[in-house]
PDB file of all heavy atoms in Angstrom:
ATOM      1  N   GLY G   3    -180.875  23.508 -86.606  1.00  0.00           N
ATOM      2  CA  GLY G   3    -181.373  22.622 -87.639  1.00  0.00           C
ATOM      3  C   GLY G   3    -180.971  21.180 -87.511  1.00  0.00           C
ATOM      4  O   GLY G   3    -181.437  20.339 -88.269  1.00  0.00           O
ATOM      5  N   TRP G 112    -171.767  26.139 -99.923  1.00  0.00           N
ATOM      6  CA  TRP G 112    -170.787  27.189-100.185  1.00  0.00           C
ATOM      7  C   TRP G 112    -171.436  28.577-100.093  1.00  0.00           C
ATOM      8  O   TRP G 112    -170.902  29.498 -99.482  1.00  0.00           O
ATOM      9  CB  TRP G 112    -170.176  26.959-101.573  1.00  0.00           C
ATOM     10  CG  TRP G 112    -169.115  27.927-101.977  1.00  0.00           C
ATOM     11  CD1 TRP G 112    -169.222  28.945-102.886  1.00  0.00           C
ATOM     12  CD2 TRP G 112    -167.755  27.969-101.499  1.00  0.00           C
ATOM     13  NE1 TRP G 112    -168.031  29.602-103.015  1.00  0.00           N
ATOM     14  CE2 TRP G 112    -167.105  29.035-102.168  1.00  0.00           C
ATOM     15  CE3 TRP G 112    -167.033  27.211-100.572  1.00  0.00           C
ATOM     16  CZ2 TRP G 112    -165.773  29.360-101.953  1.00  0.00           C
ATOM     17  CZ3 TRP G 112    -165.703  27.530-100.343  1.00  0.00           C
ATOM     18  CH2 TRP G 112    -165.092  28.596-101.026  1.00  0.00           C
ATOM     19  N   GLN G 113    -172.608  28.689-100.693  1.00  0.00           N
ATOM     20  CA  GLN G 113    -173.304  29.973-100.665  1.00  0.00           C
ATOM     21  C   GLN G 113    -173.803  30.320 -99.255  1.00  0.00           C
ATOM     22  O   GLN G 113    -173.829  31.475 -98.873  1.00  0.00           O
ATOM     23  CB  GLN G 113    -174.499  29.945-101.635  1.00  0.00           C
ATOM     24  CG  GLN G 113    -174.093  30.070-103.092  1.00  0.00           C
ATOM     25  CD  GLN G 113    -173.571  31.466-103.441  1.00  0.00           C
ATOM     26  OE1 GLN G 113    -173.980  32.463-102.866  1.00  0.00           O
ATOM     27  NE2 GLN G 113    -172.634  31.536-104.379  1.00  0.00           N
ATOM     28  N   GLU G 130    -175.179  10.734 -92.532  1.00  0.00           N
ATOM     29  CA  GLU G 130    -175.856  11.301 -91.355  1.00  0.00           C
ATOM     30  C   GLU G 130    -177.053  10.455 -90.951  1.00  0.00           C
ATOM     31  O   GLU G 130    -177.413  10.392 -89.773  1.00  0.00           O
ATOM     32  CB  GLU G 130    -176.304  12.744 -91.664  1.00  0.00           C
ATOM     33  CG  GLU G 130    -176.912  13.507 -90.489  1.00  0.00           C
ATOM     34  CD  GLU G 130    -178.411  13.319 -90.346  1.00  0.00           C
ATOM     35  OE1 GLU G 130    -179.064  12.901 -91.322  1.00  0.00           O
ATOM     36  OE2 GLU G 130    -178.938  13.568 -89.244  1.00  0.00           O
ATOM     37  N   ASP G 201    -175.437   5.370-115.053  1.00  0.00           N
ATOM     38  CA  ASP G 201    -176.509   6.299-114.703  1.00  0.00           C
ATOM     39  C   ASP G 201    -177.199   5.838-113.402  1.00  0.00           C
ATOM     40  O   ASP G 201    -176.754   4.873-112.766  1.00  0.00           O
ATOM     41  CB  ASP G 201    -177.525   6.384-115.851  1.00  0.00           C
ATOM     42  CG  ASP G 201    -178.137   7.786-115.981  1.00  0.00           C
ATOM     43  OD1 ASP G 201    -178.217   8.487-114.960  1.00  0.00           O
ATOM     44  OD2 ASP G 201    -178.529   8.141-117.112  1.00  0.00           O
ATOM     45  N   TYR G 223    -200.511  23.031 -86.545  1.00  0.00           N
ATOM     46  CA  TYR G 223    -199.236  23.043 -87.259  1.00  0.00           C
ATOM     47  C   TYR G 223    -198.379  21.839 -86.882  1.00  0.00           C
ATOM     48  O   TYR G 223    -197.435  21.504 -87.575  1.00  0.00           O
ATOM     49  CB  TYR G 223    -198.482  24.352 -87.017  1.00  0.00           C
ATOM     50  CG  TYR G 223    -199.280  25.536 -87.493  1.00  0.00           C
ATOM     51  CD1 TYR G 223    -199.939  26.371 -86.609  1.00  0.00           C
ATOM     52  CD2 TYR G 223    -199.422  25.772 -88.848  1.00  0.00           C
ATOM     53  CE1 TYR G 223    -200.706  27.431 -87.057  1.00  0.00           C
ATOM     54  CE2 TYR G 223    -200.191  26.830 -89.310  1.00  0.00           C
ATOM     55  CZ  TYR G 223    -200.831  27.657 -88.406  1.00  0.00           C
ATOM     56  OH  TYR G 223    -201.598  28.691 -88.859  1.00  0.00           O
ATOM     57  N   LYS G 225    -199.531  18.861 -86.810  1.00  0.00           N
ATOM     58  CA  LYS G 225    -200.295  17.704 -87.270  1.00  0.00           C
ATOM     59  C   LYS G 225    -199.362  16.509 -87.477  1.00  0.00           C
ATOM     60  O   LYS G 225    -198.230  16.675 -87.954  1.00  0.00           O
ATOM     61  CB  LYS G 225    -200.988  18.033 -88.584  1.00  0.00           C
ATOM     62  CG  LYS G 225    -202.223  18.899 -88.439  1.00  0.00           C
ATOM     63  CD  LYS G 225    -202.918  19.113 -89.783  1.00  0.00           C
ATOM     64  CE  LYS G 225    -204.272  19.756 -89.615  1.00  0.00           C
ATOM     65  NZ  LYS G 225    -204.385  21.061 -90.285  1.00  0.00           N
ATOM     66  N   SER G 236    -186.819  15.590 -94.987  1.00  0.00           N
ATOM     67  CA  SER G 236    -185.482  15.918 -94.473  1.00  0.00           C
ATOM     68  C   SER G 236    -184.455  14.843 -94.810  1.00  0.00           C
ATOM     69  O   SER G 236    -183.259  15.040 -94.588  1.00  0.00           O
ATOM     70  CB  SER G 236    -185.525  16.113 -92.955  1.00  0.00           C
ATOM     71  OG  SER G 236    -185.569  14.869 -92.277  1.00  0.00           O
ATOM     72  N   LYS G 241    -187.835  14.015-102.551  1.00  0.00           N
ATOM     73  CA  LYS G 241    -188.424  15.116-103.318  1.00  0.00           C
ATOM     74  C   LYS G 241    -189.937  15.194-103.168  1.00  0.00           C
ATOM     75  O   LYS G 241    -190.554  16.143-103.680  1.00  0.00           O
ATOM     76  CB  LYS G 241    -188.083  14.972-104.812  1.00  0.00           C
ATOM     77  CG  LYS G 241    -186.611  15.072-105.154  1.00  0.00           C
ATOM     78  CD  LYS G 241    -185.936  16.356-104.710  1.00  0.00           C
ATOM     79  CE  LYS G 241    -186.299  17.576-105.529  1.00  0.00           C
ATOM     80  NZ  LYS G 241    -185.529  18.781-105.048  1.00  0.00           N
ATOM     81  N   SER G 257    -216.954  10.982-102.598  1.00  0.00           N
ATOM     82  CA  SER G 257    -217.775   9.850-102.155  1.00  0.00           C
ATOM     83  C   SER G 257    -216.959   8.556-102.106  1.00  0.00           C
ATOM     84  O   SER G 257    -217.346   7.604-101.432  1.00  0.00           O
ATOM     85  CB  SER G 257    -218.977   9.679-103.092  1.00  0.00           C
ATOM     86  OG  SER G 257    -218.522   9.513-104.436  1.00  0.00           O
ATOM     87  N   ALA G 273    -207.319   7.608 -96.250  1.00  0.00           N
ATOM     88  CA  ALA G 273    -206.731   8.700 -95.463  1.00  0.00           C
ATOM     89  C   ALA G 273    -205.330   8.376 -94.999  1.00  0.00           C
ATOM     90  O   ALA G 273    -204.595   9.267 -94.561  1.00  0.00           O
ATOM     91  CB  ALA G 273    -207.622   8.998 -94.256  1.00  0.00           C
ATOM     92  N   SER G 358    -214.950   6.462 -75.723  1.00  0.00           N
ATOM     93  CA  SER G 358    -215.869   5.648 -76.532  1.00  0.00           C
ATOM     94  C   SER G 358    -216.551   6.543 -77.532  1.00  0.00           C
ATOM     95  O   SER G 358    -216.751   7.732 -77.281  1.00  0.00           O
ATOM     96  CB  SER G 358    -216.932   5.005 -75.640  1.00  0.00           C
ATOM     97  OG  SER G 358    -216.337   4.103 -74.761  1.00  0.00           O
TER      98      SER G 358
ATOM     99  N   GLY D   3    -198.964  23.079 -80.659  1.00  0.00           N
ATOM    100  CA  GLY D   3    -199.234  22.792 -82.058  1.00  0.00           C
ATOM    101  C   GLY D   3    -199.839  23.929 -82.853  1.00  0.00           C
ATOM    102  O   GLY D   3    -199.987  23.819 -84.058  1.00  0.00           O
ATOM    103  N   TRP D 112    -212.426  13.823 -81.088  1.00  0.00           N
ATOM    104  CA  TRP D 112    -213.140  13.171 -79.985  1.00  0.00           C
ATOM    105  C   TRP D 112    -212.231  12.189 -79.252  1.00  0.00           C
ATOM    106  O   TRP D 112    -212.179  12.146 -78.026  1.00  0.00           O
ATOM    107  CB  TRP D 112    -214.372  12.460 -80.549  1.00  0.00           C
ATOM    108  CG  TRP D 112    -215.248  11.781 -79.544  1.00  0.00           C
ATOM    109  CD1 TRP D 112    -215.357  10.441 -79.334  1.00  0.00           C
ATOM    110  CD2 TRP D 112    -216.149  12.403 -78.629  1.00  0.00           C
ATOM    111  NE1 TRP D 112    -216.267  10.188 -78.353  1.00  0.00           N
ATOM    112  CE2 TRP D 112    -216.780  11.364 -77.889  1.00  0.00           C
ATOM    113  CE3 TRP D 112    -216.501  13.736 -78.360  1.00  0.00           C
ATOM    114  CZ2 TRP D 112    -217.725  11.620 -76.899  1.00  0.00           C
ATOM    115  CZ3 TRP D 112    -217.442  13.989 -77.383  1.00  0.00           C
ATOM    116  CH2 TRP D 112    -218.047  12.943 -76.649  1.00  0.00           C
ATOM    117  N   GLU D 130    -209.549  28.442 -90.120  1.00  0.00           N
ATOM    118  CA  GLU D 130    -208.273  28.772 -89.458  1.00  0.00           C
ATOM    119  C   GLU D 130    -207.256  29.323 -90.445  1.00  0.00           C
ATOM    120  O   GLU D 130    -206.405  30.154 -90.072  1.00  0.00           O
ATOM    121  CB  GLU D 130    -207.706  27.509 -88.776  1.00  0.00           C
ATOM    122  CG  GLU D 130    -206.461  27.725 -87.943  1.00  0.00           C
ATOM    123  CD  GLU D 130    -205.162  27.577 -88.733  1.00  0.00           C
ATOM    124  OE1 GLU D 130    -205.191  26.991 -89.822  1.00  0.00           O
ATOM    125  OE2 GLU D 130    -204.124  28.074 -88.267  1.00  0.00           O
ATOM    126  N   ASP D 201    -221.310  15.511-105.396  1.00  0.00           N
ATOM    127  CA  ASP D 201    -220.012  14.918-105.063  1.00  0.00           C
ATOM    128  C   ASP D 201    -218.929  16.001-105.075  1.00  0.00           C
ATOM    129  O   ASP D 201    -219.218  17.191-105.238  1.00  0.00           O
ATOM    130  CB  ASP D 201    -219.687  13.800-106.070  1.00  0.00           C
ATOM    131  CG  ASP D 201    -218.917  12.653-105.403  1.00  0.00           C
ATOM    132  OD1 ASP D 201    -218.200  12.910-104.420  1.00  0.00           O
ATOM    133  OD2 ASP D 201    -219.044  11.508-105.884  1.00  0.00           O
ATOM    134  N   TYR D 223    -182.381  18.915 -90.336  1.00  0.00           N
ATOM    135  CA  TYR D 223    -183.807  18.689 -90.073  1.00  0.00           C
ATOM    136  C   TYR D 223    -184.629  19.943 -90.349  1.00  0.00           C
ATOM    137  O   TYR D 223    -185.840  19.877 -90.484  1.00  0.00           O
ATOM    138  CB  TYR D 223    -184.030  18.192 -88.646  1.00  0.00           C
ATOM    139  CG  TYR D 223    -183.308  16.887 -88.406  1.00  0.00           C
ATOM    140  CD1 TYR D 223    -182.127  16.821 -87.686  1.00  0.00           C
ATOM    141  CD2 TYR D 223    -183.783  15.719 -88.985  1.00  0.00           C
ATOM    142  CE1 TYR D 223    -181.442  15.632 -87.516  1.00  0.00           C
ATOM    143  CE2 TYR D 223    -183.108  14.519 -88.830  1.00  0.00           C
ATOM    144  CZ  TYR D 223    -181.936  14.490 -88.092  1.00  0.00           C
ATOM    145  OH  TYR D 223    -181.257  13.311 -87.948  1.00  0.00           O
ATOM    146  N   LYS D 225    -184.287  21.677 -93.014  1.00  0.00           N
ATOM    147  CA  LYS D 225    -184.130  21.920 -94.444  1.00  0.00           C
ATOM    148  C   LYS D 225    -185.295  22.759 -94.966  1.00  0.00           C
ATOM    149  O   LYS D 225    -186.441  22.581 -94.541  1.00  0.00           O
ATOM    150  CB  LYS D 225    -184.092  20.588 -95.199  1.00  0.00           C
ATOM    151  CG  LYS D 225    -182.770  19.839 -95.065  1.00  0.00           C
ATOM    152  CD  LYS D 225    -182.782  18.570 -95.932  1.00  0.00           C
ATOM    153  CE  LYS D 225    -181.404  17.962 -96.031  1.00  0.00           C
ATOM    154  NZ  LYS D 225    -181.314  16.622 -95.438  1.00  0.00           N
ATOM    155  N   SER D 236    -199.712  20.809 -93.400  1.00  0.00           N
ATOM    156  CA  SER D 236    -200.527  21.270 -92.272  1.00  0.00           C
ATOM    157  C   SER D 236    -201.810  21.957 -92.728  1.00  0.00           C
ATOM    158  O   SER D 236    -202.673  22.269 -91.905  1.00  0.00           O
ATOM    159  CB  SER D 236    -199.716  22.238 -91.392  1.00  0.00           C
ATOM    160  OG  SER D 236    -199.645  23.520 -91.973  1.00  0.00           O
ATOM    161  N   LYS D 241    -202.840  16.120 -98.809  1.00  0.00           N
ATOM    162  CA  LYS D 241    -202.437  14.711 -98.676  1.00  0.00           C
ATOM    163  C   LYS D 241    -201.071  14.422 -99.280  1.00  0.00           C
ATOM    164  O   LYS D 241    -200.562  13.297 -99.154  1.00  0.00           O
ATOM    165  CB  LYS D 241    -203.480  13.796 -99.357  1.00  0.00           C
ATOM    166  CG  LYS D 241    -204.865  13.819 -98.761  1.00  0.00           C
ATOM    167  CD  LYS D 241    -204.918  13.464 -97.277  1.00  0.00           C
ATOM    168  CE  LYS D 241    -204.710  12.012 -96.967  1.00  0.00           C
ATOM    169  NZ  LYS D 241    -204.871  11.753 -95.497  1.00  0.00           N
ATOM    170  N   SER D 257    -178.828  11.376-114.872  1.00  0.00           N
ATOM    171  CA  SER D 257    -178.184  12.243-115.862  1.00  0.00           C
ATOM    172  C   SER D 257    -179.147  13.308-116.388  1.00  0.00           C
ATOM    173  O   SER D 257    -178.720  14.324-116.918  1.00  0.00           O
ATOM    174  CB  SER D 257    -177.640  11.395-117.014  1.00  0.00           C
ATOM    175  OG  SER D 257    -178.702  10.634-117.597  1.00  0.00           O
ATOM    176  N   ALA D 273    -184.760  20.375-109.557  1.00  0.00           N
ATOM    177  CA  ALA D 273    -184.622  20.369-108.099  1.00  0.00           C
ATOM    178  C   ALA D 273    -185.668  21.243-107.425  1.00  0.00           C
ATOM    179  O   ALA D 273    -185.854  21.150-106.207  1.00  0.00           O
ATOM    180  CB  ALA D 273    -183.230  20.841-107.700  1.00  0.00           C
ATOM    181  N   SER D 358    -168.757  34.257-103.770  1.00  0.00           N
ATOM    182  CA  SER D 358    -168.551  33.991-105.201  1.00  0.00           C
ATOM    183  C   SER D 358    -168.235  32.519-105.382  1.00  0.00           C
ATOM    184  O   SER D 358    -167.680  31.885-104.490  1.00  0.00           O
ATOM    185  CB  SER D 358    -167.361  34.808-105.727  1.00  0.00           C
ATOM    186  OG  SER D 358    -167.651  36.164-105.642  1.00  0.00           O
ATOM    187  N   PRO D 359    -168.483  31.945-106.556  1.00  0.00           N
ATOM    188  CA  PRO D 359    -169.257  32.529-107.653  1.00  0.00           C
ATOM    189  C   PRO D 359    -170.752  32.412-107.407  1.00  0.00           C
ATOM    190  O   PRO D 359    -171.190  31.514-106.702  1.00  0.00           O
ATOM    191  CB  PRO D 359    -168.851  31.652-108.841  1.00  0.00           C
ATOM    192  CG  PRO D 359    -168.612  30.303-108.227  1.00  0.00           C
ATOM    193  CD  PRO D 359    -168.044  30.574-106.853  1.00  0.00           C
ATOM    194  N   ILE D 361    -174.242  31.746-109.263  1.00  0.00           N
ATOM    195  CA  ILE D 361    -174.757  31.223-110.538  1.00  0.00           C
ATOM    196  C   ILE D 361    -176.179  31.732-110.747  1.00  0.00           C
ATOM    197  O   ILE D 361    -177.047  31.519-109.898  1.00  0.00           O
ATOM    198  CB  ILE D 361    -174.738  29.681-110.533  1.00  0.00           C
ATOM    199  CG1 ILE D 361    -173.283  29.207-110.368  1.00  0.00           C
ATOM    200  CG2 ILE D 361    -175.373  29.113-111.788  1.00  0.00           C
ATOM    201  CD1 ILE D 361    -173.150  27.730-110.130  1.00  0.00           C
TER     202      ILE D 361
END
Side-chain angles (χ1 to χ4, degrees):
Chain G
W112 182 254
Q113 284 290 329
E130 185 271 341
D201 214 332
Y223 300 104
K225 283 184 170 119
S236 78
K241 296 303 286 183
S257 57
S358 295
Chain D
W112 182 253
E130 186 271 342
D201 214 332
Y223 300 104
K225 284 184 169 116
S236 78
K241 297 303 286 184
S257 57
S358 296
I361 299 171

